[in-house]
Amino acid sequence: MNGHDNPRIVGQVKEVTSLANPLIKDIKALSLKKFRDQQNAFMAEGLKLIIDALDLGWSIRTLVFAKAGRGNPAVEKVAARTVAAGGTVLEVSEKVLVAITRRDNPQMVVGVFTQQFLPLKELRPGNGDVWVALDRVRDPGNLGTIIRTVDAVGARGIILVGETTDPFSVETVRATMGSIFAVPVAKATQDAFLAWRNGFPGLVVGTHLKGAVDYRTVDFSRGPVLLMMGNEQQGLPDALAESCDRLLRIPQAGRADSLNLAVATGVMLFEIRRGALKLDPAS
Ligand code: SAM
C-alpha cells in the first residue's frame, strides 16, 4: 500500500522527489516552445481546470500532484480518471512542483495534455457563429485574455493568422483561466486564411484605427460573423484589411492612440454578441 484511499489508484502512483527524474525533466521542458512542439504537449495548473479539461474530452498524459493532495477525494478521483485514460500519475515533493511550475506557491495539481488545434478546413461557420481571426498576435497575456473572452461571450473560436505567440505556452494557458479547453483554436498562414475567408458565408469585419465605420452602427444579427483583429504593433496588414467587407473603428476620446488588442476584441465581441447575451432572470 502506498497510502492512497482510492483502490483504483493504489500501486499506480509513482512517487518522485528528484528533479533529475526523466519524467520531471520532460515536464519542466514544457516551459519552452521547442519542447512543447517536440512532445506535442502542454501544461495546465489547477484541479478545477483539469477536471473541466477531462470533462471536455482532452487527453491527459500525466497528472502531477503535491504530497498534500494525498487522500483528497477530488485529487484521487482525477488520478483515477488519469489512470483509466492510460496516463501516468506522479506524487511529487513541494520542491519538484515549484520547479515544474516556476512558482513559489504552486497549485496542488498540474496536468500535461496533448495539444489540439482545429484544422482550418474543418471550420464550417453556421448561422449565428462568431469567429475571431488574430493577425500575428504577439503577447501571451493578450491571447489568453481573448480566448477567455471568446468563451465568455459564446463565440465559436479563434483563428491564429501568421506567426503568433503559442496558445499552449504556460503564460497563455494561465491567462485563459481554463478557457483554452473550451475554445477551439485553428492556425493558418496568411495565404491559407485568405483562401478560407473567400468561402466565408457571412459578414467579415476588420477593426482598424482608420476604419470609416463606427462599430456601433453595424447590424451583426444576420448570418455568421468573422472579426479580424490586427497585430499589437502594426495593426492589420493591407492584404487582410482589403479582404474585409467593412473596416470598423471604436471611437476614442483622450490622448491614447489606440486600445489594447484584448480590450478592443472584448469591446467588439460584446457588441457583436449583444443580442445573444441575456441575464438569466433566476440569477
Ligand atoms: N499601432 C497599431 C496600429 O496602427 O494599428 C495599433 C494596434 S492596436 C494596439 C491592436 C489592434 O486592436 C488593432 O490592429 C485593431 O485591430 C484593434 N484596435 C485597437 N484600438 C482600436 C480602435 N480604436 N478602433 C478599432 N480597432 C482598434
Side-chain angles (χ1 to χ4, degrees), residues 53-80:
L54 293 174
D55 289 347
L56 287 165
W58 284 70
S59 166
I60 189 161
R61 296 188 186 176
T62 309
L63 181 80
V64 183
F65 69 87
K67 273 198 168 54
R70 183 187 287 193
N72 175 322
V75 173
E76 301 231 332
K77 203 167 165 198
V78 171

PDB file of all heavy atoms in Angstrom, residues 53-80:
ATOM      1  N   ALA A  53     -11.124  20.049 -18.172  1.00  0.00           N
ATOM      2  CA  ALA A  53     -10.467  19.545 -19.389  1.00  0.00           C
ATOM      3  C   ALA A  53     -10.857  18.092 -19.649  1.00  0.00           C
ATOM      4  O   ALA A  53     -11.184  17.717 -20.782  1.00  0.00           O
ATOM      5  CB  ALA A  53      -8.945  19.673 -19.243  1.00  0.00           C
ATOM      6  N   LEU A  54     -10.856  17.283 -18.596  1.00  0.00           N
ATOM      7  CA  LEU A  54     -11.224  15.870 -18.763  1.00  0.00           C
ATOM      8  C   LEU A  54     -12.689  15.755 -19.194  1.00  0.00           C
ATOM      9  O   LEU A  54     -13.035  14.970 -20.082  1.00  0.00           O
ATOM     10  CB  LEU A  54     -10.980  15.092 -17.463  1.00  0.00           C
ATOM     11  CG  LEU A  54      -9.503  14.951 -17.056  1.00  0.00           C
ATOM     12  CD1 LEU A  54      -9.382  14.287 -15.694  1.00  0.00           C
ATOM     13  CD2 LEU A  54      -8.722  14.154 -18.096  1.00  0.00           C
ATOM     14  N   ASP A  55     -13.544  16.584 -18.578  1.00  0.00           N
ATOM     15  CA  ASP A  55     -14.975  16.547 -18.936  1.00  0.00           C
ATOM     16  C   ASP A  55     -15.179  16.927 -20.397  1.00  0.00           C
ATOM     17  O   ASP A  55     -16.102  16.463 -21.052  1.00  0.00           O
ATOM     18  CB  ASP A  55     -15.787  17.500 -18.038  1.00  0.00           C
ATOM     19  CG  ASP A  55     -15.898  16.972 -16.610  1.00  0.00           C
ATOM     20  OD1 ASP A  55     -15.580  15.789 -16.394  1.00  0.00           O
ATOM     21  OD2 ASP A  55     -16.282  17.751 -15.724  1.00  0.00           O
ATOM     22  N   LEU A  56     -14.299  17.814 -20.899  1.00  0.00           N
ATOM     23  CA  LEU A  56     -14.434  18.266 -22.299  1.00  0.00           C
ATOM     24  C   LEU A  56     -13.719  17.325 -23.276  1.00  0.00           C
ATOM     25  O   LEU A  56     -13.638  17.604 -24.467  1.00  0.00           O
ATOM     26  CB  LEU A  56     -13.878  19.698 -22.436  1.00  0.00           C
ATOM     27  CG  LEU A  56     -14.765  20.788 -21.829  1.00  0.00           C
ATOM     28  CD1 LEU A  56     -13.990  22.101 -21.674  1.00  0.00           C
ATOM     29  CD2 LEU A  56     -16.011  21.019 -22.685  1.00  0.00           C
ATOM     30  N   GLY A  57     -13.148  16.240 -22.755  1.00  0.00           N
ATOM     31  CA  GLY A  57     -12.587  15.213 -23.647  1.00  0.00           C
ATOM     32  C   GLY A  57     -11.115  15.404 -24.005  1.00  0.00           C
ATOM     33  O   GLY A  57     -10.624  14.746 -24.925  1.00  0.00           O
ATOM     34  N   TRP A  58     -10.418  16.304 -23.307  1.00  0.00           N
ATOM     35  CA  TRP A  58      -8.981  16.460 -23.598  1.00  0.00           C
ATOM     36  C   TRP A  58      -8.222  15.248 -23.060  1.00  0.00           C
ATOM     37  O   TRP A  58      -8.589  14.666 -22.042  1.00  0.00           O
ATOM     38  CB  TRP A  58      -8.446  17.753 -22.983  1.00  0.00           C
ATOM     39  CG  TRP A  58      -8.873  18.951 -23.772  1.00  0.00           C
ATOM     40  CD1 TRP A  58     -10.150  19.448 -23.861  1.00  0.00           C
ATOM     41  CD2 TRP A  58      -8.053  19.781 -24.598  1.00  0.00           C
ATOM     42  NE1 TRP A  58     -10.164  20.535 -24.692  1.00  0.00           N
ATOM     43  CE2 TRP A  58      -8.892  20.773 -25.151  1.00  0.00           C
ATOM     44  CE3 TRP A  58      -6.696  19.801 -24.915  1.00  0.00           C
ATOM     45  CZ2 TRP A  58      -8.411  21.761 -26.018  1.00  0.00           C
ATOM     46  CZ3 TRP A  58      -6.213  20.780 -25.765  1.00  0.00           C
ATOM     47  CH2 TRP A  58      -7.066  21.741 -26.309  1.00  0.00           C
ATOM     48  N   SER A  59      -7.141  14.949 -23.756  1.00  0.00           N
ATOM     49  CA  SER A  59      -6.399  13.741 -23.430  1.00  0.00           C
ATOM     50  C   SER A  59      -5.253  14.069 -22.462  1.00  0.00           C
ATOM     51  O   SER A  59      -4.337  14.828 -22.802  1.00  0.00           O
ATOM     52  CB  SER A  59      -5.886  13.176 -24.763  1.00  0.00           C
ATOM     53  OG  SER A  59      -4.924  12.233 -24.539  1.00  0.00           O
ATOM     54  N   ILE A  60      -5.338  13.500 -21.253  1.00  0.00           N
ATOM     55  CA  ILE A  60      -4.317  13.789 -20.232  1.00  0.00           C
ATOM     56  C   ILE A  60      -3.217  12.735 -20.309  1.00  0.00           C
ATOM     57  O   ILE A  60      -3.487  11.546 -20.414  1.00  0.00           O
ATOM     58  CB  ILE A  60      -4.924  13.874 -18.817  1.00  0.00           C
ATOM     59  CG1 ILE A  60      -3.876  14.383 -17.812  1.00  0.00           C
ATOM     60  CG2 ILE A  60      -5.526  12.555 -18.352  1.00  0.00           C
ATOM     61  CD1 ILE A  60      -4.463  14.931 -16.523  1.00  0.00           C
ATOM     62  N   ARG A  61      -1.970  13.201 -20.305  1.00  0.00           N
ATOM     63  CA  ARG A  61      -0.842  12.259 -20.350  1.00  0.00           C
ATOM     64  C   ARG A  61      -0.289  11.998 -18.962  1.00  0.00           C
ATOM     65  O   ARG A  61       0.068  10.881 -18.627  1.00  0.00           O
ATOM     66  CB  ARG A  61       0.279  12.830 -21.211  1.00  0.00           C
ATOM     67  CG  ARG A  61      -0.129  12.987 -22.641  1.00  0.00           C
ATOM     68  CD  ARG A  61       1.092  13.359 -23.435  1.00  0.00           C
ATOM     69  NE  ARG A  61       0.762  13.671 -24.797  1.00  0.00           N
ATOM     70  CZ  ARG A  61       1.642  14.095 -25.678  1.00  0.00           C
ATOM     71  NH1 ARG A  61       2.906  14.265 -25.323  1.00  0.00           N
ATOM     72  NH2 ARG A  61       1.280  14.371 -26.907  1.00  0.00           N
ATOM     73  N   THR A  62      -0.152  13.092 -18.201  1.00  0.00           N
ATOM     74  CA  THR A  62       0.436  12.956 -16.867  1.00  0.00           C
ATOM     75  C   THR A  62      -0.291  13.865 -15.892  1.00  0.00           C
ATOM     76  O   THR A  62      -0.597  15.013 -16.231  1.00  0.00           O
ATOM     77  CB  THR A  62       1.931  13.363 -16.887  1.00  0.00           C
ATOM     78  OG1 THR A  62       2.592  12.663 -17.924  1.00  0.00           O
ATOM     79  CG2 THR A  62       2.614  13.062 -15.571  1.00  0.00           C
ATOM     80  N   LEU A  63      -0.574  13.331 -14.725  1.00  0.00           N
ATOM     81  CA  LEU A  63      -1.110  14.153 -13.638  1.00  0.00           C
ATOM     82  C   LEU A  63      -0.042  14.212 -12.561  1.00  0.00           C
ATOM     83  O   LEU A  63       0.466  13.175 -12.132  1.00  0.00           O
ATOM     84  CB  LEU A  63      -2.384  13.520 -13.073  1.00  0.00           C
ATOM     85  CG  LEU A  63      -3.018  14.314 -11.947  1.00  0.00           C
ATOM     86  CD1 LEU A  63      -3.835  15.464 -12.519  1.00  0.00           C
ATOM     87  CD2 LEU A  63      -3.912  13.434 -11.086  1.00  0.00           C
ATOM     88  N   VAL A  64       0.288  15.428 -12.147  1.00  0.00           N
ATOM     89  CA  VAL A  64       1.288  15.601 -11.093  1.00  0.00           C
ATOM     90  C   VAL A  64       0.577  16.232  -9.905  1.00  0.00           C
ATOM     91  O   VAL A  64      -0.121  17.233 -10.076  1.00  0.00           O
ATOM     92  CB  VAL A  64       2.397  16.578 -11.562  1.00  0.00           C
ATOM     93  CG1 VAL A  64       3.477  16.710 -10.496  1.00  0.00           C
ATOM     94  CG2 VAL A  64       2.990  16.134 -12.883  1.00  0.00           C
ATOM     95  N   PHE A  65       0.720  15.628  -8.729  1.00  0.00           N
ATOM     96  CA  PHE A  65       0.118  16.312  -7.573  1.00  0.00           C
ATOM     97  C   PHE A  65       1.060  16.322  -6.379  1.00  0.00           C
ATOM     98  O   PHE A  65       1.936  15.460  -6.236  1.00  0.00           O
ATOM     99  CB  PHE A  65      -1.263  15.733  -7.225  1.00  0.00           C
ATOM    100  CG  PHE A  65      -1.259  14.346  -6.658  1.00  0.00           C
ATOM    101  CD1 PHE A  65      -1.100  14.122  -5.302  1.00  0.00           C
ATOM    102  CD2 PHE A  65      -1.444  13.254  -7.500  1.00  0.00           C
ATOM    103  CE1 PHE A  65      -1.118  12.836  -4.783  1.00  0.00           C
ATOM    104  CE2 PHE A  65      -1.470  11.972  -6.980  1.00  0.00           C
ATOM    105  CZ  PHE A  65      -1.293  11.763  -5.621  1.00  0.00           C
ATOM    106  N   ALA A  66       0.830  17.332  -5.548  1.00  0.00           N
ATOM    107  CA  ALA A  66       1.679  17.505  -4.362  1.00  0.00           C
ATOM    108  C   ALA A  66       1.304  16.468  -3.317  1.00  0.00           C
ATOM    109  O   ALA A  66       0.150  16.044  -3.242  1.00  0.00           O
ATOM    110  CB  ALA A  66       1.472  18.904  -3.800  1.00  0.00           C
ATOM    111  N   LYS A  67       2.293  16.097  -2.503  1.00  0.00           N
ATOM    112  CA  LYS A  67       2.045  15.129  -1.412  1.00  0.00           C
ATOM    113  C   LYS A  67       0.828  15.517  -0.599  1.00  0.00           C
ATOM    114  O   LYS A  67       0.068  14.668  -0.150  1.00  0.00           O
ATOM    115  CB  LYS A  67       3.262  15.095  -0.488  1.00  0.00           C
ATOM    116  CG  LYS A  67       4.323  14.122  -0.920  1.00  0.00           C
ATOM    117  CD  LYS A  67       5.270  13.830   0.265  1.00  0.00           C
ATOM    118  CE  LYS A  67       6.166  12.652  -0.004  1.00  0.00           C
ATOM    119  NZ  LYS A  67       6.933  12.745  -1.242  1.00  0.00           N
ATOM    120  N   ALA A  68       0.628  16.853  -0.443  1.00  0.00           N
ATOM    121  CA  ALA A  68      -0.503  17.345   0.362  1.00  0.00           C
ATOM    122  C   ALA A  68      -1.840  16.907  -0.228  1.00  0.00           C
ATOM    123  O   ALA A  68      -2.868  16.922   0.466  1.00  0.00           O
ATOM    124  CB  ALA A  68      -0.440  18.872   0.449  1.00  0.00           C
ATOM    125  N   GLY A  69      -1.847  16.518  -1.488  1.00  0.00           N
ATOM    126  CA  GLY A  69      -3.091  16.103  -2.136  1.00  0.00           C
ATOM    127  C   GLY A  69      -3.467  14.666  -1.848  1.00  0.00           C
ATOM    128  O   GLY A  69      -4.573  14.221  -2.154  1.00  0.00           O
ATOM    129  N   ARG A  70      -2.552  13.925  -1.238  1.00  0.00           N
ATOM    130  CA  ARG A  70      -2.826  12.511  -0.945  1.00  0.00           C
ATOM    131  C   ARG A  70      -4.044  12.393  -0.008  1.00  0.00           C
ATOM    132  O   ARG A  70      -4.128  13.104   0.990  1.00  0.00           O
ATOM    133  CB  ARG A  70      -1.606  11.871  -0.284  1.00  0.00           C
ATOM    134  CG  ARG A  70      -1.805  10.403  -0.016  1.00  0.00           C
ATOM    135  CD  ARG A  70      -0.686   9.827   0.774  1.00  0.00           C
ATOM    136  NE  ARG A  70       0.545   9.679  -0.002  1.00  0.00           N
ATOM    137  CZ  ARG A  70       1.583   8.960   0.410  1.00  0.00           C
ATOM    138  NH1 ARG A  70       1.527   8.347   1.572  1.00  0.00           N
ATOM    139  NH2 ARG A  70       2.663   8.878  -0.321  1.00  0.00           N
ATOM    140  N   GLY A  71      -4.978  11.550  -0.373  1.00  0.00           N
ATOM    141  CA  GLY A  71      -6.170  11.369   0.454  1.00  0.00           C
ATOM    142  C   GLY A  71      -7.270  12.371   0.139  1.00  0.00           C
ATOM    143  O   GLY A  71      -8.398  12.213   0.593  1.00  0.00           O
ATOM    144  N   ASN A  72      -6.966  13.426  -0.632  1.00  0.00           N
ATOM    145  CA  ASN A  72      -8.001  14.388  -1.036  1.00  0.00           C
ATOM    146  C   ASN A  72      -8.896  13.709  -2.079  1.00  0.00           C
ATOM    147  O   ASN A  72      -8.416  13.301  -3.133  1.00  0.00           O
ATOM    148  CB  ASN A  72      -7.307  15.629  -1.616  1.00  0.00           C
ATOM    149  CG  ASN A  72      -8.281  16.644  -2.185  1.00  0.00           C
ATOM    150  OD1 ASN A  72      -9.278  16.287  -2.791  1.00  0.00           O
ATOM    151  ND2 ASN A  72      -7.963  17.909  -1.992  1.00  0.00           N
ATOM    152  N   PRO A  73     -10.215  13.546  -1.775  1.00  0.00           N
ATOM    153  CA  PRO A  73     -11.072  12.757  -2.669  1.00  0.00           C
ATOM    154  C   PRO A  73     -11.087  13.291  -4.102  1.00  0.00           C
ATOM    155  O   PRO A  73     -11.086  12.495  -5.051  1.00  0.00           O
ATOM    156  CB  PRO A  73     -12.457  12.876  -2.024  1.00  0.00           C
ATOM    157  CG  PRO A  73     -12.221  13.311  -0.623  1.00  0.00           C
ATOM    158  CD  PRO A  73     -10.921  14.050  -0.591  1.00  0.00           C
ATOM    159  N   ALA A  74     -11.092  14.628  -4.263  1.00  0.00           N
ATOM    160  CA  ALA A  74     -11.162  15.187  -5.629  1.00  0.00           C
ATOM    161  C   ALA A  74      -9.880  14.876  -6.396  1.00  0.00           C
ATOM    162  O   ALA A  74      -9.918  14.517  -7.587  1.00  0.00           O
ATOM    163  CB  ALA A  74     -11.397  16.692  -5.560  1.00  0.00           C
ATOM    164  N   VAL A  75      -8.745  14.986  -5.721  1.00  0.00           N
ATOM    165  CA  VAL A  75      -7.458  14.687  -6.379  1.00  0.00           C
ATOM    166  C   VAL A  75      -7.408  13.199  -6.743  1.00  0.00           C
ATOM    167  O   VAL A  75      -7.012  12.822  -7.859  1.00  0.00           O
ATOM    168  CB  VAL A  75      -6.271  15.065  -5.462  1.00  0.00           C
ATOM    169  CG1 VAL A  75      -4.949  14.596  -6.058  1.00  0.00           C
ATOM    170  CG2 VAL A  75      -6.240  16.571  -5.218  1.00  0.00           C
ATOM    171  N   GLU A  76      -7.839  12.361  -5.824  1.00  0.00           N
ATOM    172  CA  GLU A  76      -7.777  10.909  -6.087  1.00  0.00           C
ATOM    173  C   GLU A  76      -8.708  10.526  -7.232  1.00  0.00           C
ATOM    174  O   GLU A  76      -8.415   9.631  -8.015  1.00  0.00           O
ATOM    175  CB  GLU A  76      -8.097  10.145  -4.805  1.00  0.00           C
ATOM    176  CG  GLU A  76      -7.096  10.498  -3.688  1.00  0.00           C
ATOM    177  CD  GLU A  76      -6.459   9.300  -3.021  1.00  0.00           C
ATOM    178  OE1 GLU A  76      -7.089   8.248  -2.984  1.00  0.00           O
ATOM    179  OE2 GLU A  76      -5.311   9.437  -2.525  1.00  0.00           O
ATOM    180  N   LYS A  77      -9.839  11.235  -7.344  1.00  0.00           N
ATOM    181  CA  LYS A  77     -10.772  10.948  -8.440  1.00  0.00           C
ATOM    182  C   LYS A  77     -10.130  11.307  -9.790  1.00  0.00           C
ATOM    183  O   LYS A  77     -10.221  10.554 -10.757  1.00  0.00           O
ATOM    184  CB  LYS A  77     -12.051  11.771  -8.224  1.00  0.00           C
ATOM    185  CG  LYS A  77     -13.239  11.181  -8.918  1.00  0.00           C
ATOM    186  CD  LYS A  77     -14.515  11.838  -8.424  1.00  0.00           C
ATOM    187  CE  LYS A  77     -15.637  11.500  -9.394  1.00  0.00           C
ATOM    188  NZ  LYS A  77     -16.772  12.364  -9.275  1.00  0.00           N
ATOM    189  N   VAL A  78      -9.479  12.469  -9.818  1.00  0.00           N
ATOM    190  CA  VAL A  78      -8.805  12.871 -11.064  1.00  0.00           C
ATOM    191  C   VAL A  78      -7.663  11.901 -11.371  1.00  0.00           C
ATOM    192  O   VAL A  78      -7.431  11.552 -12.541  1.00  0.00           O
ATOM    193  CB  VAL A  78      -8.282  14.323 -10.947  1.00  0.00           C
ATOM    194  CG1 VAL A  78      -7.401  14.686 -12.128  1.00  0.00           C
ATOM    195  CG2 VAL A  78      -9.429  15.294 -10.878  1.00  0.00           C
ATOM    196  N   ALA A  79      -6.964  11.466 -10.325  1.00  0.00           N
ATOM    197  CA  ALA A  79      -5.877  10.493 -10.530  1.00  0.00           C
ATOM    198  C   ALA A  79      -6.438   9.197 -11.124  1.00  0.00           C
ATOM    199  O   ALA A  79      -5.859   8.635 -12.069  1.00  0.00           O
ATOM    200  CB  ALA A  79      -5.163  10.226  -9.208  1.00  0.00           C
ATOM    201  N   ALA A  80      -7.593   8.761 -10.616  1.00  0.00           N
ATOM    202  CA  ALA A  80      -8.202   7.530 -11.141  1.00  0.00           C
ATOM    203  C   ALA A  80      -8.615   7.708 -12.594  1.00  0.00           C
ATOM    204  O   ALA A  80      -8.445   6.806 -13.423  1.00  0.00           O
ATOM    205  CB  ALA A  80      -9.409   7.152 -10.281  1.00  0.00           C
TER     206      ALA A  80
END
